[in-house]
Amino acid sequence: MADSHQYVQPPNRGQKNDFKKIFTGLKNGYSYLHPDYWKRKLIHLLFVLPFVYWIDNMILLDMFGNGDNLNPNAGGMAKFLALMFTILTAYFYPFSLWWYKQSFIGRFLNNLMFIGGLLAIIGRILAVIFGGMLIAGVLAPIMGPLTFHKCRKKNMVIGDESDFV
């Protein structure tokens, strides 16, 4: 004969909830970056963040409103979302920049050959460098978490080649 016992699941004392797991993972996120690599990229952030905020704000204002027909609350919401995307960019920028350098567009732009006068060549090289930083910065809220997940999954430390010599 079968006893009719009611089984109760034990309390979840030792485990953290999902919200705490996310913040713990983000807190330990820079352990997947070489220390010299992410410290060098802090200087990039000084130049990238104002432009990323401006670009995100323009894109979001265009999404929320149609020029003159802007909803009065849409401007504040666009600025708030642009600020949130900029904060995400600040955290995930080193991951996104590493992805950009490995991607097709990054390799293509960094391997271009320039012909012309000295000042024109210097201008084009600077445009490619700052353009690449902006591409990585604008795409950081998307590509940064994906690269971070890849690093966690494969347990790899990323950085420039000179960091590992």
Side-chain angles (χ1 to χ4, degrees):
M1 295 195 186
D3 294 331
S4 59
H5 293 288
Q6 291 183 357
Y7 292 100
V8 179
Q9 201 171 18
N12 200 1
R13 291 189 184 143
Q15 297 177 357
K16 301 176 184 175
N17 60 11
D18 291 337
F19 195 67
K20 287 184 180 178
K21 284 182 183 179
I22 290 171
F23 282 115
T24 303
L26 289 177
K27 186 173 77 172
N28 298 332
Y30 273 32
S31 64
Y32 295 101
L33 296 171
H34 194 279
D36 294 337
Y37 176 75
W38 73 263
K39 288 175 185 174
R40 242 186 352 263
K41 301 313 170 198
L42 290 176
I43 297 169
H44 286 209
L45 283 175
L46 294 175
F47 297 107
V48 170
L49 287 180
F51 289 108
V52 167
Y53 177 75
W54 180 63
I55 291 169
D56 286 345
N57 200 15
M58 283 190 334
I59 291 170
L60 291 168
L61 277 175
D62 194 39
M63 286 173 55
F64 283 122
N66 198 6
D68 297 332
N69 301 332
L70 185 64
N71 183 351
N73 297 330
M77 180 59 91
K79 289 185 188 299
F80 175 74
L81 287 175
L83 182 65
M84 290 297 110
F85 285 142
T86 305
I87 291 170
L88 281 174
T89 297
Y91 183 79
F92 287 115
Y93 178 73
F95 294 100
S96 180
L97 189 64
W98 184 82
W99 164 82
Y100 167 76
K101 289 180 179 179
Q102 309 299 322
S103 70
F104 172 75
I105 188 72
R107 285 182 284 134
F108 175 75
L109 288 176
N110 289 333
N111 292 328
L112 281 177
M113 295 184 69
F114 300 111
I115 299 173
L118 180 65
L119 291 178
I121 291 174
I122 292 172
R124 289 180 189 144
I125 290 172
L126 289 175
V128 166
I129 291 170
F130 287 115
M133 288 170 50
L134 282 178
I135 290 171
V138 170
L139 293 178
I142 299 167
M143 296 313 300
L146 293 175
T147 307
F148 173 63
H149 178 69
K150 179 180 177 182
C151 291
R152 282 182 48 196
K153 188 176 178 182
K154 294 185 177 184
N155 196 21
M156 65 184 202
V157 175
I158 60 175
D160 292 335
E161 291 178 17
S162 61
D163 296 330
F164 299 107
V165 176

